[in-house]
Amino acid sequence: MDVDIWAWVGETQQQLSEAGNVGLAMALGDLPAQAYEGRYPQLDVMAPAIAQQAEALELPWLEFYSRYWHLVGRIGDRAQGAVALDDAQQLLSFAQREEVRECPATVAAVEALAIAWANADGPGHAAERLETLGAHLEGLSPEKPAFAGLVTQYVAALIDAGKPDEAVTYAESAVERLRTAGREASWELGAESARALLAAGRAEDALNALQAAAEFQADDPVAKEHRDGVRRALILATLGRTAEAVDALPDLDVVGEHPRVWVEWAHAVSKLADSAQITNTWQLGRVVRQWIDYFGMMGGYRARVELALVAGELALGRKGAWQARLLADVAESASAELRESAGVAERIAALRAAADTTEEPEAPGPREELVGLFDAADGFNADPERWVGWLAPLSGQDLEATRRHTTTMGFLGYPATGADIYWKMLVDTDGIATADSDDVAYLTTLLIEARQDERLEQMAAMLPHAAQHLTLARLHSARERWQETVDSGEHAIAAGAGIEARRLLSGAAQQLDQNPRAAQVLLEVLDELTEEDVWRMIVMATSAEDWETVRKGAAKIGMPIKSNEGPIEEEMGLIRLILPAPDGGQRQVLSIRTGPATARLALPQPRGMDYNAGDLVVFDPQLLEPVPDDPQEQQNFVPPFAAVRILRPGGYTSFFFDGAAPSESDWAEFTEVMAERGWPMWVYSDENYTVTHPSSGESLPGVFGWVAVPPNVSANEVDALLDDATERWVHPLAWLDLAREIDVEIERHERIVKEYGL
């Protein structure tokens, strides 16, 4: 997007703010950062909200902008494929509308569609990518901001089409055209040129190209470092420069949050796995298995196949023949989704052949002793992959071995295989109706993780009434079908099911905002509850303002409450409450704890927020940060908790003030006046905030913040107090919004704002 669109963004933010849409205005400029910085929960909330508001306001450019950045957040670092294709195609259609096509950013929709195609199946969609990109590149000047992005995707499409030499030539030509136009290539174009050279068998040239690209600016600057590291490691590994490759390769905890680089990272690790510097462990295998499932859900068909094959090779390196065979099955199943599968069947066959010739590690003891040896194994150092192989001959025949084998398979990412074994042993033999509750629970978990819902419902129908409804409640809860969870939980409890049924029912009732029922179902078995259960009950009872139940819960966990009846309103110290911000992020608000799960907000909040000082808030008493070990740090530690809901609004109204900072004595007097009236006041500016002296033009320390007043205080009273409290200051303070609200001295406040550059 070019400078015109960013100027337009600023103007639109101002318009939205003036119209009272402060939250949307704040979020609008933050959408690109949310997409690039991985703040997806914010992006997934705010972008659709802005798009919906834009449609209502008939602002098609704004709608395109918000839909585009939401899509970028999905197809960029998250690498969504087929699940994003419809949205990408719809965005391109939207960009071609008469009222949108003049927006300078609409060509970005072409690039987005090309990326989504590549994520789904790069080689399979190569022809479409080349055709669509080529049509838009034809006649496009390199001076245009969109040029580098479209060229980068064209180079990627040529590589996936099996034309790496042509991709190299095209990239070099594009870089030269950019240079002639006085523009620099993006890092992404330079990195894709390096990938083309690597695909062409020119690894040394690829390394040089990537090194040259390091100086280029990235379109996605947040991702540049780890993407560069992964590609550099792959090139160095191809060159056999193992030590350098290992040094360049980002750690798993770095790339774990970035699906876009998973396939390339796995290929690099596979090339380095034989070295002493890379540890090929079962933990690695488990993580890559999770990545495979991720791409299965996101419609990343090519990535799923590639990762399954690479994971199979890594498994063989660990002597895990059973795992390699299962991964070959995964690759074969996933390959059915590919539009272009040349060579895939041969690679799968090679993996299976290698698995057949791989000798499994020798078991640690005789077959009849394996269950005992499994139980005695060091849970920290034991290798679950090997235990799966050792227990396999007993699984499906010996119940104890089956339990351990199948649940371990589920842990490693193969719940469907574990479920098949359990199913044959318990269901196919008609033994499920009399099976131990633990076995029913184990099989239920495996079926839920394998997403075999119909099969689970079939099994549930064979169970006694209590177990049947408990099993269905587990399924409904896992799928977030809350009313169905409540219904099944009620049936299970009525039939005599235990504490788990109550937990499931209580949790679902809370999700449905049925807090009285949610708390009551736990209170009925108070003596059986764990401390965690009691705290959950306290939160739900507090939300229902059932203070009697709150007191019973507090007594159970040994928390003293001074009062014996009615609402609990005590001073229990300062805490930090974490609440949602209008831009989809979070705000920390200093608060006074008033009960086991309540706190009153102590700081005024800007206009447009859903909460303010004086509000009574229910919070989850589970600490969000550990208490520091250092005694000195403990003294200054204010514990943070997540807010659950506003229990009772305080009705406070906030007013903004801004201006040059007064002397320390004047400020102390000002804060004392506010405190005497019980008006919460907070300064949001920091030491870097300055204003301009109207005469000399020099910078002065500035101060801005909010003061909140209770509902019985009028805006005129606030104006009068501020006027009286600041009249002797060397520099005046401005409260323009308040002045406009009561139509008092508006011109004076406007003049202060203008003269001091507020």
Side-chain angles (χ1 to χ4, degrees), residues 69 75 104 128 161 286 371 402 423 457 528 553 583 643 666 674 716 723:
W69 282 112
I75 63 174
E128 293 158 283
R286 184 170 183 255
V371 170
T402 303
W423 187 275
E457 292 169 353
E528 300 176 32
D583 63 357
D666 284 342
M674 296 296 165
N716 289 91
D723 206 25

Side-chain angles (χ1 to χ4, degrees), residues 510 539 543 578 617-620 642-646:
Q510 183 183 28
V539 170
S543 295
I578 312 302
V617 177
V618 182
F619 66 89
D620 182 345
V644 174
R645 65 189 303 156
I646 305 296

Side-chain angles (χ1 to χ4, degrees), residues 499 503 506-507 510 518 522 525-526 528-540 553 556-557 597 619-623:
I499 187 67
R503 288 174 180 143
S506 178
Q510 183 183 28
L522 293 179
V525 291
L526 182 60
E528 300 176 32
L529 300 182
T530 64
E531 184 171 331
E532 182 180 353
D533 291 325
V534 175
W535 275 118
R536 288 181 57 240
M537 182 190 76
I538 286 173
V539 170
M540 294 180 287
K556 172 73 174 176
I557 59 177
F619 66 89
D620 182 345
Q622 182 175 346
L623 265 176

